[in-house]
Amino acid sequence: MKNTILLDKRPVGTPQVSDFKFTQEEVQEPKSGEILLETKYVSVDPYLRGRMNDAKSYIPPFELQKPIVSGIVAEVIESKNNNFSKGDYVSGMLEWKRKQVSTGEDLHKVDPAQAPLSAYLGILGMTGLTAYLGLTEIGKPKEGETLLVSGAAGAVGSVVGQIGKIMGLRVVGIAGSDEKIRMLKSEFGFDEGINYKTTGNMKEAIAKACPNGVDVYFDNVGGDISDAVLFNINKFARMVICGAISVYNETSLPKGLSVQPFLIKNSALMQGFIIGNFTEKFPEAMQQLAGWLKAGKLNYEETIVEGFENIPQAFIDLFSGKNKGKMVVKV
Amino acid sequence: MKNTILLDKRPVGTPQVSDFKFTQEEVQEPKSGEILLETKYVSVDPYLRGRMNDAKSYIPPFELQKPIVSGIVAEVIESKNNNFSKGDYVSGMLEWKRKQVSTGEDLHKVDPAQAPLSAYLGILGMTGLTAYLGLTEIGKPKEGETLLVSGAAGAVGSVVGQIGKIMGLRVVGIAGSDEKIRMLKSEFGFDEGINYKTTGNMKEAIAKACPNGVDVYFDNVGGDISDAVLFNINKFARMVICGAISVYNETSLPKGLSVQPFLIKNSALMQGFIIGNFTEKFPEAMQQLAGWLKAGKLNYEETIVEGFENIPQAFIDLFSGKNKGKMVVKV
């Protein structure tokens, strides 16, 4: 049985299933200090696209003919490490394999009694941390301000919006279908939503949905949508640059409006980040998120695709927005 | 004699002398509490271009058929205000008139024994404050880092570079002539200079001049030069967006590289500012600048044009880079 997914070719533009290769590799026996893991849930995320290019970035590119690595929840099925027992569940950055051996380093135990296992890849994992720390550390939201979120129906965006509501902001989301807009309002408590696919003039639509202007923009998409936001920012606006999914598949360098005149005019800030910049804040953030989740203040949406063989397609579907909330593959 | 300069037409693209009108207006007698001022030095600055457009910005646009306002040093030639005596010199935002009446509000006395009067429009005025506070408050430079300055031979840029050297950074400047580059190195102590007019590939030239990458970019110009900088920024780079002279005269919205992917990749920051955001830091900054000036640690360059009638042309010449350092008109 094919048990491993390698990067076969570097994608050009939108990734294709043929950029990946399924192989059968021998599963090693765990040695002393090691554990044998069986993959349960695999996280597919837009940022993985960047690692498929052969370009310097904040993390090194994936190597060709090597397994892809992403967030995974796995079960310990054999343990020769005193810190882990058979039957434990762990979360961490692991390879796209059905089974793999690990030293346990950088893996965290997760508790299926506290939350469904898939949540540890989403709201209680990198997704939730990205939303919470990006919004609070860079966006610095203040009660009564207006928060605009792009990619609002995505994994991170839907959490950002809810945290904004908890903190007392007016929250407006941008997403790509009427169904997603309904979900933003009914499930996640957004005040207003904009369907960018059916809205002719985004600049005016944002102005209408944000009558007091935009104080914090949490940007998951980049491109034309983010250009339209620039016309609507307030003085001292903070633009949290979390992702740019709209341009990840471009084969030449994307262009857009020069942001500098807007930044000067409004004394505004744009800042990019990766969650790894804030590791020392993880415990505090996790506690906050788990508390809100337990208190019923945070909803989360998942799109769960079944089957190891469907991991590449699930990843590719992120770029056409087929997911609502966090996209996870159940193996 | 023509004694007043009005904005006659809103400039389209690069301003023309014909956008301004010289008129003769009656000089009022100062009433009780007022002073009569005679203009000595007039500051012409790139940011004035923005106020000539009929567009919302951080300060309201100039009105047509009204005098232009900029930084001016004037002599008190008659005083009916106890705070000012005949013979005092003052600095503040005043009208482009040979003589004018003022209540003295928002004017500061300046001392010609401490520094030449024109310096109060430059190194000891808004120029120096902009350089110091933009660099320290947003750029947050650290010893040993690399500071890149665009518009480096301009009023603000030449001060930014010197402060960078005082603070122990490697400082590289971008300017538009070999003579300016020589001046950057010999007068202002820059480590390296790039003449953007004769350099084919700015991206490579910056990489060569900044072998350890760019930690702080103090941006006075925007446009293609700033796009080239993006390829050379380090992780956690800070881009201080002070001006965008290269695009102020564009008649459509300027476009360029999408900055968001670069900001994400490097966890980098871009922030616009105006000096008015930092008023509470002015006294501390002035003290610092005056101290360095006195200690001979700061040089400053001025381009002094003579004659009230040459104010519009001096302003226009900013956009073709005819000035070295601060451009001032002596009346």
Side-chain angles (χ1 to χ4, degrees):
Chain A
M1 190 169 61
K2 308 285 192 199
N3 58 13
T4 301
I5 307 175
L6 311 178
L7 183 63
D8 193 40
K9 297 193 276 288
R10 301 208 177 275
V12 177
T14 305
Q16 311 291 321
V17 170
S18 59
D19 295 327
F20 303 90
K21 184 161 74 185
F22 286 80
T23 62
Q24 184 170 352
E25 299 198 4
E26 203 183 334
V27 180
Q28 304 296 314
E29 282 289 311
K31 294 189 286 251
S32 173
E34 291 184 335
I35 51 180
L36 180 62
L37 297 169
E38 186 172 76
T39 297
K40 294 294 174 188
Y41 290 93
V42 176
S43 177
V44 291
D45 308 273
Y47 81 87
L48 296 171
R49 177 65 183 85
R51 296 194 67 184
M52 293 175 188
N53 294 333
D54 189 16
K56 177 201 159 218
S57 187
Y58 51 86
I59 29 179
F62 292 127
E63 287 179 55
L64 288 175
Q65 309 309 324
K66 292 277 173 71
I68 306 283
V69 170
S70 75
I72 281 178
V73 169
E75 183 179 354
V76 178
I77 55 174
E78 196 181 332
S79 177
K80 292 182 179 166
N81 179 318
N82 291 334
N83 297 321
F84 298 91
S85 308
K86 194 179 169 201
D88 281 351
Y89 290 93
V90 296
S91 161
M93 298 302 288
L94 290 164
E95 294 181 326
W96 285 5
K97 290 180 170 176
R98 291 178 186 271
K99 289 183 183 168
Q100 58 198 292
V101 162
S102 164
T103 62
E105 201 187 355
D106 293 330
L107 296 183
H108 305 279
K109 282 192 218 181
V110 297
D111 182 355
Q114 289 292 316
L117 285 174
S118 58
Y120 293 100
L121 296 177
I123 187 98
L124 294 179
M126 286 300 149
T127 302
L129 291 171
T130 299
Y132 178 79
L133 291 168
L135 182 62
T136 55
E137 295 292 318
I138 298 175
K140 297 187 168 61
K142 290 191 276 286
E143 200 179 330
E145 288 190 328
T146 296
L147 166 65
L148 178 64
V149 186
S150 66
V156 171
S158 56
V159 180
V160 169
Q162 293 180 86
I163 298 174
K165 288 311 297 176
I166 292 171
M167 293 184 164
L169 285 86
R170 173 177 172 81
V171 177
V172 176
I174 301 171
S177 76
D178 288 344
E179 193 194 341
K180 286 181 178 176
I181 299 298
R182 273 192 298 276
M183 182 182 79
L184 291 183
K185 295 203 232 176
S186 63
E187 284 183 42
F188 299 130
F190 282 59
D191 295 291
E192 201 58 73
I194 303 170
N195 179 350
Y196 73 89
K197 287 192 180 160
T198 57
T199 297
N201 187 326
M202 280 300 288
K203 178 178 156 182
E204 285 174 17
I206 295 167
K208 201 177 149 203
C210 306
N212 298 322
V214 175
D215 300 296
V216 181
Y217 174 46
F218 197 104
D219 188 4
N220 290 301
V221 305
D224 292 342
I225 291 173
S226 299
D227 280 359
V229 174
L230 290 169
F231 295 93
N232 290 287
I233 56 173
N234 287 335
K235 192 168 183 195
F236 300 124
R238 292 131 271 154
M239 289 177 271
V240 185
I241 312 300
C242 178
I245 194 171
S246 75
V247 302
Y248 284 165
N249 290 328
E250 302 227 352
T251 48
S252 58
L253 281 168
K255 299 200 168 188
L257 285 180
S258 288
V259 301
Q260 291 89 343
F262 294 94
L263 297 183
I264 296 173
K265 198 185 291 190
N266 299 289
S267 295
L269 173 149
M270 282 185 118
Q271 190 170 352
F273 76 105
I274 57 165
I275 195 62
N277 303 344
F278 302 119
T279 43
E280 80 287 358
K281 308 240 171 182
F282 282 6
E284 166 203 328
M286 283 295 286
Q287 202 178 358
Q288 183 67 270
L289 289 164
W292 284 332
L293 193 63
K294 215 164 180 175
K297 290 185 175 178
L298 280 183
N299 281 330
Y300 65 101
E301 182 84 18
E302 291 173 326
T303 300
I304 298 190
V305 171
E306 304 236 350
F308 185 78
E309 65 281 8
N310 292 318
I311 295 174
Q313 187 63 50
F315 167 68
I316 292 164
D317 285 346
L318 290 169
F319 297 95
S320 53
K322 293 224 172 72
N323 57 310
K324 283 184 285 184
K326 183 75 190 93
M327 180 85 107
V328 171
V329 180
K330 185 177 181 189
V331 176
Chain B
M1 189 170 62
K2 309 285 192 199
N3 58 12
T4 301
I5 307 175
L6 310 177
L7 183 63
D8 193 41
K9 298 193 277 288
R10 299 207 178 277
V12 177
T14 305
Q16 310 292 319
V17 170
S18 58
D19 295 327
F20 302 90
K21 185 160 73 187
F22 285 79
T23 63
Q24 184 170 354
E25 298 197 6
E26 204 182 332
V27 180
Q28 304 296 313
E29 281 291 309
K31 293 190 288 254
S32 172
E34 291 184 337
I35 50 180
L36 179 63
L37 297 170
E38 186 172 76
T39 297
K40 294 294 174 190
Y41 289 93
V42 176
S43 176
V44 291
D45 307 274
Y47 81 87
L48 297 170
R49 177 65 185 84
R51 295 195 66 185
M52 294 176 188
N53 294 334
D54 189 16
K56 180 200 157 216
S57 187
Y58 51 85
I59 29 178
F62 291 127
E63 287 179 54
L64 288 176
Q65 309 309 324
K66 291 276 173 71
I68 306 282
V69 170
S70 76
I72 281 178
V73 168
E75 183 180 353
V76 178
I77 55 174
E78 196 181 332
S79 176
K80 293 181 177 166
N81 179 318
N82 290 334
N83 297 321
F84 298 91
S85 309
K86 192 177 168 204
D88 281 351
Y89 289 94
V90 296
S91 161
M93 297 303 288
L94 290 163
E95 295 181 326
W96 285 5
K97 289 179 169 176
R98 289 178 187 271
K99 289 183 183 168
Q100 58 198 293
V101 162
S102 163
T103 61
E105 202 186 356
D106 293 331
L107 296 183
H108 305 279
K109 282 192 220 180
V110 298
D111 182 355
Q114 289 292 316
L117 285 174
S118 58
Y120 293 99
L121 296 177
I123 188 99
L124 293 178
M126 287 300 149
T127 302
L129 291 171
T130 299
Y132 178 78
L133 291 168
L135 181 63
T136 55
E137 295 292 317
I138 298 175
K140 296 188 168 61
K142 290 192 276 288
E143 200 179 331
E145 287 189 328
T146 297
L147 166 66
L148 177 65
V149 186
S150 65
V156 172
S158 56
V159 180
V160 169
Q162 293 179 85
I163 298 174
K165 287 311 297 177
I166 292 171
M167 293 184 163
L169 285 85
R170 173 175 173 84
V171 178
V172 176
I174 301 171
S177 76
D178 287 346
E179 193 195 340
K180 286 181 179 176
I181 299 297
R182 272 193 298 275
M183 183 182 77
L184 291 182
K185 296 202 233 176
S186 62
E187 284 182 42
F188 300 129
F190 282 57
D191 295 292
E192 201 56 73
I194 302 170
N195 178 350
Y196 72 90
K197 286 191 180 161
T198 56
T199 298
N201 187 326
M202 280 300 288
K203 178 178 156 182
E204 284 174 17
I206 294 166
K208 200 178 150 201
C210 306
N212 297 321
V214 175
D215 300 294
V216 181
Y217 174 46
F218 197 103
D219 187 5
N220 291 300
V221 305
D224 292 343
I225 290 172
S226 299
D227 281 358
V229 174
L230 291 169
F231 296 92
N232 290 288
I233 57 173
N234 286 335
K235 192 168 185 195
F236 300 125
R238 292 130 270 154
M239 290 177 271
V240 184
I241 312 299
C242 178
I245 195 170
S246 76
V247 302
Y248 284 164
N249 291 327
E250 302 228 351
T251 50
S252 59
L253 282 168
K255 299 198 169 189
L257 284 181
S258 288
V259 301
Q260 290 90 343
F262 293 95
L263 297 183
I264 296 173
K265 198 185 292 188
N266 299 290
S267 295
L269 172 149
M270 282 186 117
Q271 190 170 352
F273 77 105
I274 56 166
I275 195 63
N277 303 343
F278 301 119
T279 44
E280 79 287 359
K281 307 240 172 183
F282 282 6
E284 167 202 327
M286 283 294 287
Q287 201 178 0
Q288 183 67 270
L289 289 163
W292 284 332
L293 194 63
K294 214 164 178 175
K297 290 186 175 177
L298 279 182
N299 282 331
Y300 65 101
E301 182 83 20
E302 291 173 326
T303 300
I304 297 189
V305 171
E306 303 236 351
F308 185 77
E309 65 281 6
N310 293 320
I311 295 174
Q313 187 62 51
F315 168 67
I316 292 163
D317 286 346
L318 291 169
F319 297 95
S320 52
K322 292 224 173 73
N323 58 308
K324 282 183 286 184
K326 182 75 190 90
M327 179 85 106
V328 172
V329 180
K330 184 178 181 187
V331 176

